[in-house]
Every structure is written in C-alpha cells, then in structure tokens.
Amino acid sequence: MESSDDPKKPEALPATTSAPEGGRFEGQLEPAQPGSPPPRSLPLAAMALGAGLLAGFASWLVGEGVLYAFKPPLFQYEMMGQTLLKAKFEDQVLADSRNATLAFALLGGALGLALGVAGGLARGSTRGGIRAGALGLMLGLVLGGGSSLVILPAYDRALSRSPEEMSHAVILPMLVHAGIWSACGVAGGIALGVGLEAGRSRLVNAALGGLIGAAIGAVLYEILGLMLFPSDRTTSPLSSAWYTRLIARLLVGGLAGSVASSTGQRGAGDRPTPARDGGLESGVSG
C-alpha cells in the first residue's frame, strides 16, 4: 500500500489562476490599441531641428572651401606709378553671383539630404531615410541653384546701376535671400515628408513649413546683420565674414527643419502600416 506522504507524488495544481488587477500579468506586452499612432523611433521635432542645423553647418563648411571657385579675369592698371591687377566691376559682379549660386545650391542639397534622412530615421526606417535623402539632395541642388540663377540677376542689375545705393539697401537683399533660401527650404520640407511617407496633405504642409521657416531665417539674418554686423556686407548675396555666412546657414537650416516638422505633422491621410525594415511606419491611406 502506497503511503499518502510519498515525496514522488506531485501536488495538485489549482485549476485556474486569477489575473492580477489590471487584467494582465507582469511582463506581458500591452496590445496596441486600434487607431493609435505608429511609434516613432526618435522624436521628429528634435531630429528635424538637428538635421537642419547640421545641414547648415555642412553647407557652410563646404562652401568656405569653394568660396572663390569662380574668379574674374584681372587686368593691369597704372596708378601713381604702380602697376595694379584689378578686375572690372562687371566681371567681379558676375563672379560673385556664380559663387553665391554654388553656395546656395550646396545649402539646398545639404538641407534636402539631411531632412530626408531625418524623416526616415524618425519613423524607424533607415532605408527609407536614405532614399528620401537622395531625393532631397538632388531636389535641393536644383531648387537652390535654379532659384539663384533666376533671382540673383535682379540684384546684379540693381548693383550695376547704383553700387552706393545698394550698399545701404535692405528690402531688395532681404527679398533675394528669402526667395532663394525659401526654395532650399521647400526641398528640405519635401524630403522630410517623403522620409516620413506622409500623405499628400502632410507632404504639402511640410514643404510649406520648410519655405516659411527658411523665409523667417532670411528676415532674422538681415535684421541681425544690420544691428550687429553692419560692416560685414550682410546685404550682399554672400557676406564678407565667415561667421555671418555661418549664421545665415544655421538660421535657414534650423528654422526650415523645425517649422517643416511642425507643419508636416498636421493633415489627414496616414495610418500605421508594417515597416519594410522593422517596426511600424506611417503609410499613405487610400
């Protein structure tokens, strides 16, 4: 006969186990609620602001290296018994315009690249960020350089007519900078929206945000230039001091990225969809 206290005999388990308060066990993953927004791997606002500042700094750094890529031809002049080499005024204006076009194309390309990558990383897709960055780079080069080719001749004509008057002008230089840099901001906003795989309305909002942010940066730059750096020719397409050129690019890049990220989150047409390289992404709804 078997003993009732046989150590080999397993003890009976309870038939049911009641769940703790709250309806789930410790360590159990809480299911996603229907209609909840997709999780972001990194905060979009911080990513966009940082990317804009990085783009501004990078474009300034490269731009300083090619600051005088286009040089005017020099001619000999006799003055007070000395032979001087000097460029004609028209040739100098043309060279300055070409150097500014190159600098602003670099700004647009860097802004599009950085914000496109930021958009992809903000939704947890590295491959999506690379694709959006490549698109933004090409778009920024085209818009930044193309807008310069269209807008800068108006400044050059006014400068050729009255150099002394243009040295004190404010409105025209502000419009020139705002027009060109806004085009760079549009490229950055579009790239950010593509990186986020935003719907049509959010993509348009991001582009408008990039435009507005860059335009605000241009206005602030002109005001700061007149108040703090009156001798650095901040009303010229490219100012005469390295630090004012850096300030211009940081203002444009940072504000374009910040405003584009803010406006790009507004609008209908998104729903969570499975990511192609992990996590969830913000897809375009039908």
Side-chain angles (χ1 to χ4, degrees), residues 166-180:
M166 283 301 298
S167 64
H168 304 289
V170 177
I171 300 302
L172 180 59
M174 183 182 296
L175 292 176
V176 168
H177 282 143
I180 297 173

Side-chain angles (χ1 to χ4, degrees), residues 13-286:
L13 295 176
T16 59
T17 303
S18 60
E21 184 178 358
R24 63 186 182 94
F25 295 99
E26 183 179 359
Q28 179 180 345
L29 293 178
E30 188 171 357
Q33 299 297 324
S36 60
R40 304 289 188 183
S41 61
L42 290 171
L44 175 59
M47 287 288 296
L49 175 60
L53 293 174
L54 179 61
F57 179 78
S59 64
W60 168 81
L61 190 62
V62 177
E64 292 297 293
V66 294
L67 185 60
Y68 303 109
F70 298 96
K71 298 179 180 180
L74 302 178
F75 298 91
Q76 291 185 353
Y77 290 89
E78 296 291 337
M79 181 177 294
M80 300 179 64
Q82 295 182 346
T83 301
L84 303 176
L85 292 176
K86 186 178 180 180
K88 293 181 179 179
F89 179 78
E90 296 80 6
D91 293 336
Q92 185 65 58
V93 170
L94 180 60
D96 291 343
S97 181
R98 290 174 175 174
N99 287 321
T101 298
L102 176 59
F104 299 150
L106 291 173
L107 174 60
L111 196 55
L113 173 62
L115 290 181
V117 172
L121 294 180
R123 67 179 174 89
S125 174
T126 303
R127 286 181 294 178
I130 293 175
R131 290 192 296 267
L135 173 65
L137 173 62
M138 293 184 292
L139 187 61
L141 289 172
V142 171
L143 291 182
S147 61
S148 299
L149 292 174
V150 172
I151 296 175
L152 283 178
Y155 176 89
D156 295 341
R157 287 191 296 269
L159 183 63
S160 299
R161 287 196 301 267
S162 179
E164 181 62 27
E165 182 180 346
M166 283 301 298
S167 64
H168 304 289
V170 177
I171 300 302
L172 180 59
M174 183 182 296
L175 292 176
V176 168
H177 282 143
I180 297 173
W181 294 344
S182 293
C184 298
V186 169
I190 292 175
L192 179 68
V194 172
L196 292 170
E197 284 196 351
R200 182 179 301 177
S201 62
R202 288 181 59 195
L203 185 64
V204 172
N205 288 341
L208 289 176
L211 183 151
I212 293 171
I216 294 174
V219 173
L220 290 178
Y221 168 73
E222 296 294 347
I223 295 174
L224 291 175
L226 291 174
M227 294 177 58
L228 304 178
F229 312 106
S231 62
D232 291 329
R233 295 174 52 199
T234 54
T235 56
S236 299
L238 290 176
S239 64
S240 59
W242 66 266
Y243 47 85
T244 50
R245 293 191 292 268
L246 175 60
I247 291 172
R249 287 160 175 79
L250 292 179
L251 282 173
V252 172
L255 286 171
S258 181
V259 179
S261 68
S262 177
T263 59
Q265 297 182 76
R266 303 173 184 174
D270 295 325
R271 64 166 183 265
T273 58
R276 286 184 286 272
D277 52 349
L280 289 177
E281 296 181 351
S282 177
V284 181
S285 68

